[in-house]
Amino acid sequence: METVLSDRTLWALVLAILALLGLVAFFAVATFLLRIKNEREALVWDRLKRTWEPGLLEALADPERLPALWETVEEENELQFLEFVLRYAQRLKSTERDVLRKAAAPFIPKILPDLKHRQMGKRARTVQTLGILGLPAFVDDLKASIYDSSPFVAAMAARLLAHEVGAEIAPDLCKSLDRFHNFRTWYLVDMMVAMGPGAIPSIRGTLANPKMPDRTRAVAAHALSVLWDLESGGLAAKLLREEKNAEFLTSLLRLLGQVGTPEHLPAVRTHLDSQEFFVRAAATRTLSELGTEKDLPLLVEKLGDPSSWVKMAAARGIY
C-alpha cells in the first residue's frame, strides 16, 4: 500500500515539474516573440521619424512647407504621424505649437471615433492628443469628454480645456466639478485658476450653489482666493454663518484672509472656538490678517490654545 502511494506521489511531482517547465517554456517563447515585435516596431518608428523629422523642422521654420510634409505621410501611417507631432508639441509652446497644430490638422478627424473607444487608455490618449493638437478647432469634441464615464478621462479633458481654452469652458467645467471628488484639492484648484479671471463669475456661482458638494465648493473658494476675487468676500462671510462642514469653513476663512475686510470680522470670530483645531487655526489666521487693535485680546487668548497651529497663527498676528 505504501509503495502504491509513493508511486502516485512521485508521478504527481513529475507531472507538476513538467507543468512548471511547460509554463517556463511558454513565457520564454512569449517574451522572445514580444521582443521581436517591439524591435520591429522600433525599426518602423525610427524609419518614419527619419522620414518626417527634416520636413517638420523645415515647416517649423517656414509654415508654408507644410504641404510638402503632408505628402510624406502615407495613409496607413497617419496615426503614427499624429503621435510623432504630439511628442514635439509636448516640448514646444507659443508659435511653434501653433505650427504643429496646423501640421496635425488634416489627420485629427481620424482619431475622433476613439473618444468613444471601450478602452479607457485609448480614450485618454485621444483626449490628450486633441487637447494639445486639436484646439480650438475641435473644442466641442473635447468638451463632450468632460462627461466621459471615466473620471480620469473627464478630468484630463477638463484640465486641457482649462489651460488651452480658458474662461470659455468655465460654465461646463464648474457644472461637472463634483465628478472629480477623488482628485487632490490643489489639482482641481490649479485647473480652475488656469481659466483666468474671466472664469470668476462661474466659480463664484459654484461657491454659492448649495446643491454642490461641500468639497466642490471648497475648491471654488480656494480658487477665488488665488484669483483675488474681492467681490466674493461678502458671499464668504454669509456662508460662514450658515455652513457646518469643517473643510468648507476652512476654505471660506482662507478666502476671507485674502479678500476680506474688517466688516467681515464678526463672521470670522464665530469660529475662533470651533471644535476642529484647523478651523480655529484658519479663523485665527484670518483674524490676524483683518483684525484691528480691538482683536488683540482674542489673539492673546489663542496663545493658550491646545493646538500649536492655532498658537502660531495667533503669534504671527500679535508680533
Side-chain angles (χ1 to χ4, degrees):
M1 186 68 178
E2 292 181 359
T3 303
V4 173
L5 289 175
S6 62
D7 288 344
R8 289 180 178 176
T9 303
L10 179 61
W11 277 108
L13 288 173
V14 170
L15 290 174
I17 291 172
L18 289 175
L20 289 173
L21 288 174
L23 284 174
V24 170
F26 170 79
F27 285 119
V29 172
T31 302
F32 177 72
L33 294 175
L34 183 61
R35 179 177 179 180
I36 292 177
K37 177 178 177 291
N38 290 338
E39 287 179 349
R40 285 180 178 175
E41 290 180 351
L43 288 173
V44 171
W45 180 255
D46 185 61
R47 176 180 62 81
L48 292 174
K49 180 180 178 182
R50 283 188 277 106
T51 300
W52 295 328
E53 195 166 46
L56 184 62
L57 293 176
E58 289 179 4
L60 285 170
D62 180 10
E64 293 185 2
R65 301 284 298 171
L66 282 174
L69 173 62
W70 293 331
E71 290 178 0
T72 65
V73 183
E74 299 175 353
E75 185 175 354
E76 64 268 21
N77 295 326
E78 290 177 350
L79 296 182
Q80 289 91 329
F81 180 74
L82 280 177
E83 182 69 24
F84 173 73
V85 176
L86 179 63
R87 295 185 182 187
Y88 267 88
Q90 289 172 323
R91 293 175 287 177
L92 298 175
K93 299 291 183 182
S94 190
T95 55
E96 290 84 2
R97 175 77 67 87
D98 293 336
V99 174
L100 293 173
R101 288 193 179 107
K102 292 179 182 178
F107 312 104
I108 289 290
K110 292 278 187 178
I111 64 171
L112 293 181
D114 288 338
L115 289 173
K116 297 181 180 180
H117 198 278
R118 62 184 179 83
Q119 293 182 1
M120 184 196 73
K122 189 73 171 179
R123 298 199 307 276
R125 189 60 170 175
T126 304
V127 163
Q128 183 185 34
T129 303
L130 274 182
I132 296 176
L133 295 176
L135 296 176
F138 297 92
V139 64
D140 290 334
D141 298 281
L142 192 57
K143 190 186 296 184
S145 293
I146 294 179
Y147 305 98
D148 189 274
S149 58
S150 165
F152 174 79
V153 176
M156 179 181 288
R159 186 175 178 84
L160 285 166
L161 286 166
H163 282 267
E164 300 293 337
V165 178
E168 178 186 334
I169 197 64
D172 292 277
L173 196 153
C174 289
K175 189 188 303 181
S176 61
L177 192 62
D178 60 320
R179 293 198 60 203
F180 311 133
H181 60 275
N182 288 327
F183 288 76
R184 290 183 294 109
T185 296
W186 288 102
Y187 174 90
L188 299 177
V189 171
D190 175 75
M191 184 169 68
M192 303 282 277
V193 171
M195 294 186 290
I200 285 178
S202 295
I203 301 174
R204 198 187 302 142
T206 301
L207 176 63
N209 187 353
K211 295 182 180 179
M212 281 288 187
D214 289 330
R215 185 171 183 272
T216 300
R217 299 171 77 189
V219 168
H222 286 307
L224 291 170
S225 69
V226 175
L227 291 169
W228 286 82
D229 177 34
L230 300 178
E231 294 184 26
S232 63
L235 173 61
K238 174 178 177 292
L239 293 174
L240 276 176
R241 298 186 181 93
E242 302 171 353
E243 300 297 331
K244 304 297 181 184
N245 181 272
E247 181 183 2
F248 188 27
L249 290 173
T250 302
S251 68
L252 292 171
L253 289 164
R254 178 189 177 92
L255 173 58
L256 278 182
Q258 292 286 91
V259 304
T261 64
E263 69 181 33
H264 301 137
L265 283 171
V268 175
R269 295 188 189 106
T270 59
H271 297 284
L272 288 172
D273 296 319
S274 171
Q275 294 183 352
E276 303 290 347
F277 77 90
F278 51 91
V279 176
R280 297 198 306 276
T284 304
R285 192 179 306 114
T286 302
L287 186 67
S288 300
E289 296 286 341
L290 305 180
T292 63
E293 292 183 0
K294 296 180 180 179
D295 295 298
L296 189 58
L298 291 175
L299 292 175
V300 172
E301 179 183 339
K302 287 300 162 186
L303 291 174
D305 192 276
S307 169
S308 58
W309 294 102
V310 179
K311 292 176 183 177
M312 285 191 292
R316 289 195 186 99
I318 294 171
Y319 301 106

